[in-house]
């Protein structure tokens, strides 16, 4: 078995977390084809994404406490097995309602990877070191949104969308074997929490009423909302509105993923010279400016793929700086309840993502305008949460007030 602090374990955790963006990004190029096959409109197809995000959010609330009680490995393995079976169900769906149902079941299993990977990092590392590891993990994970849409586009062009879900099922089964035999159980017996309703509610009450957690979680959730506004709307905007071929859709996504990777690398490099608070602040300001540029171009009716993709790449670079700091800050105060804290953080992120994605699908007007406006609004909300909550209640021994930076 691998040592928990080895780079290979970090790579393995990144591969586990990548299951979530794979389930989201790989089938985006197939949106138009799914709509045609099932006779479904834009909102119905987009709902398959929002349902996944909603199910993902709800499942985390149970997944985290279960992992605090029984350990990280068995829950992660069980979740991935559920994900694999639901993926096969998606591939066999005969109407849009069946696809929506199996996407929900897919989300129930898929939540285990991201929630428990974050919890494992908190099990093993201090809050400051956890921010660096989460940044490394997110940087490696950035390969998923770069590769997945490209692979999905080629699968759609050569075969059809059903095979996308077969590939997802195969990936999940491989991860089951690797996790089962590749890493030891990271949760120490003395840190296990009882899985009783009263204990579960008590833990969630402690986490959800902690002002430090609230500040970092809302900051993270707002930028997640902007990310999923783009993911929900980009296929329709780029393919249907701006004429990008489905097999080329992933190449444009690779540009935005490169922005995310650049932001992650910057976060790691800057950690030795700047406080987490400063990195978070610069990322939030950069995200707001980048989103505003995209919105301004859309309001000016400059309709081009690059008028969407290049500003979004800059937004993604800001996310690469924001997310590791905000996630590590949210978990910093809960070393013995990392599973529950990670679950509640994930729920908050995914609830914001589902709301933003549904809003984009409902308001889509055949232009990039709605998507760009929602991305900018989410960036503004994230900065608001940072200024009024994070700076007032920073995580001890992790964040520094800007006045002391």
């Amino acid at each position: 078995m691998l040592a928990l602090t080895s780079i290979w374990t970090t790579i393995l955790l990144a591969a586990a977390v990548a299951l979530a963006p794979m389930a989201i990004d790989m089938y985006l190029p197939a949106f138009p084809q799914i709509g045609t096959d099932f006779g479904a409109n834009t909102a119905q197809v987009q709902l398959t994404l929002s349902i996944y995000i909603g199910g993902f959010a709800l499942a985390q609330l149970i997944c985290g406490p279960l992992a605090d009680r029984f350990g990280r490995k068995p829950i992660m393995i069980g979740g991935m097995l559920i994900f694999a079976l639901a993926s096969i169900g998606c591939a066999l769906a005969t109407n849009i309602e069946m696809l929506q149902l199996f996407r929900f079941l897919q989300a129930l299993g898929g939540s285990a990877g991201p929630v428990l990977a974050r919890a494992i990092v908190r099990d093993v590392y201090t809050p400051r070191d956890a921010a660096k590891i989460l940044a490394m993990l997110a940087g490696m994970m950035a390969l998923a949104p770069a590769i997945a849409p490209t692979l999905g586009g080629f699968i759609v062009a050569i075969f059809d969308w059903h095979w996308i879900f077969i590939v997802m099922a195969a990936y999940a089964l491989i991860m089951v074997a690797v996790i089962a035999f590749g890493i030891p159980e990271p949760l120490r017996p003395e840190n296990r929490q009882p899985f009783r309703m009263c204990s579960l509610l008590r833990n969630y009450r402690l986490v959800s009423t902690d002002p430090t957690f609230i500040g970092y979680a809302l900051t993270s959730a707002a930028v997640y909302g902007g990310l999923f506004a783009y993911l929900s709307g980009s296929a329709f905007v780029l393919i249907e509105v701006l004429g990008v071929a489905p097999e080329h859709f992933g190449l444009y996504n690779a540009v935005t993923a490169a922005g995310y990777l650049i932001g992650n690398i910057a976060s790691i490099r800057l950690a030795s010279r700047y406080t987490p608070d400063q990195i978070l602040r610069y990322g939030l300001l950069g995200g707001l400016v980048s989103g505003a540029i995209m919105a301004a171009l859309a309001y000016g009716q400059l309709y081009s793929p690059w008028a969407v993709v290049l500003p979004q790449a800059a937004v993604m670079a800001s996310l690469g700086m924001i997310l590791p700091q905000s996630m590590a800050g949210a978990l910093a105060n809960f070393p013995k309840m990392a599973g529950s804290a990670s679950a509640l953080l994930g729920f908050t992120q995914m609830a914001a993502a589902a709301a933003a994605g549904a809003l984009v699908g409902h308001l889509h007007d055949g232009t990039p305008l709605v998507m760009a406006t929602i991305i900018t609004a989410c960036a503004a909300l994230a900065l608001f949460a940072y200024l009024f909550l994070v700076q007032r209640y920073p995580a001890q021994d992790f964040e520094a007030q800007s006045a002391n930076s």
Side-chain angles (χ1 to χ4, degrees):
M1 292 224 175
L2 300 171
L4 285 170
T5 55
S6 76
I7 186 63
W8 292 109
T9 298
T10 303
I11 293 172
L12 186 91
L13 293 177
V17 175
L19 196 68
M22 173 182 286
I24 292 165
D25 294 321
M26 184 177 283
Y27 89 127
L28 294 180
F31 270 20
Q33 191 182 92
I34 291 171
T36 300
D37 283 0
F38 291 149
N41 59 35
T42 298
Q44 287 176 309
V45 177
Q46 192 279 332
L47 190 58
T48 64
L49 179 59
S50 294
I51 284 175
Y52 179 89
I53 296 168
F56 195 99
L58 291 172
Q60 292 179 89
L61 295 178
I62 300 300
C63 177
L66 281 173
D68 282 343
R69 171 63 182 88
F70 298 106
R72 314 306 187 200
K73 281 182 61 174
I75 306 304
M76 188 178 282
I77 290 169
M80 290 189 174
L81 286 172
I82 293 172
F83 180 93
L85 293 173
S87 297
I88 295 171
C90 289
L92 299 177
T94 56
N95 55 57
I96 193 67
E97 290 78 17
M98 282 185 65
L99 181 60
Q100 291 167 351
L101 171 62
F102 281 111
R103 283 288 286 171
F104 179 78
L105 297 176
Q106 193 183 37
L108 298 185
S111 66
V115 172
L116 301 186
R118 286 194 300 263
I120 289 170
V121 170
R122 185 62 188 91
D123 290 335
V124 177
Y125 297 96
T126 65
R128 286 295 292 266
D129 288 338
K132 298 176 185 178
I133 299 300
L134 286 170
M136 291 175 59
L137 190 149
M140 289 183 283
M141 197 188 76
L143 294 173
I147 296 171
T150 304
L151 179 59
F154 281 111
I155 291 173
V156 168
I158 298 172
F159 303 104
D160 61 29
W161 63 267
H162 301 84
W163 281 94
I164 292 175
F165 292 101
I166 297 298
V167 171
M168 289 184 195
Y171 184 93
L173 291 174
I174 291 171
M175 289 307 304
V176 166
V178 172
I179 291 168
F181 300 105
I183 61 172
E185 172 57 54
L187 184 63
R188 295 178 179 178
E190 63 269 23
N191 288 337
R192 300 199 177 197
Q193 301 291 315
F195 188 76
R196 296 192 296 267
M197 185 57 65
C198 58
S199 299
L200 187 152
L201 294 176
R202 185 193 69 238
N203 289 350
Y204 276 137
R205 181 181 59 81
L206 289 173
V207 175
S208 63
T209 56
D210 182 81
T212 297
F213 175 86
I214 293 170
Y216 288 109
L218 291 181
T219 301
S220 178
V223 296
Y224 243 79
L227 170 60
F228 277 83
Y230 177 77
L231 292 176
S232 296
S234 60
F236 292 109
V237 167
L238 293 177
I239 295 174
E240 290 195 340
V241 177
L242 301 178
V244 172
E247 60 268 27
H248 296 155
F249 174 76
L251 300 178
Y252 287 97
N253 265 34
V255 175
T256 62
Y260 189 61
L261 183 59
I262 289 169
N264 276 132
I265 293 172
S267 180
I268 296 169
R269 294 289 181 88
L270 293 172
S272 60
R273 298 177 55 191
Y274 298 96
T275 66
D277 180 82
Q278 290 174 311
I279 298 171
L280 186 57
R281 186 192 320 153
Y282 298 149
L284 289 165
L285 289 172
L288 180 58
V289 170
S290 303
I293 290 172
M294 186 196 301
L297 292 173
Y299 276 103
Q301 298 185 354
L302 183 58
Y303 296 150
S304 160
W306 293 112
V308 173
V309 170
L310 291 180
Q312 181 62 24
V315 171
M316 295 294 284
S318 74
L319 287 179
M321 299 172 67
I322 296 165
L323 289 177
Q325 314 304 324
S326 59
M327 289 190 295
L331 301 181
N333 290 350
F334 303 100
K336 294 185 178 180
M337 290 186 289
S340 296
S342 179
L344 194 57
L345 172 65
F347 173 81
T348 307
Q349 290 173 335
M350 288 301 168
L359 198 59
V360 169
H362 181 70
L363 298 178
H364 178 62
D365 62 352
T367 75
L369 187 57
V370 169
M371 182 181 74
T373 302
I374 293 175
I375 289 170
T376 307
C378 288
L381 288 173
L383 184 60
F384 182 87
Y386 165 78
L387 292 174
F388 290 94
L389 289 171
V390 171
Q391 291 219 313
R392 293 185 182 183
Y393 306 103
Q396 296 299 322
D397 301 323
F398 174 68
E399 288 287 12
Q401 294 274 14
S402 60
N404 298 326
S405 298

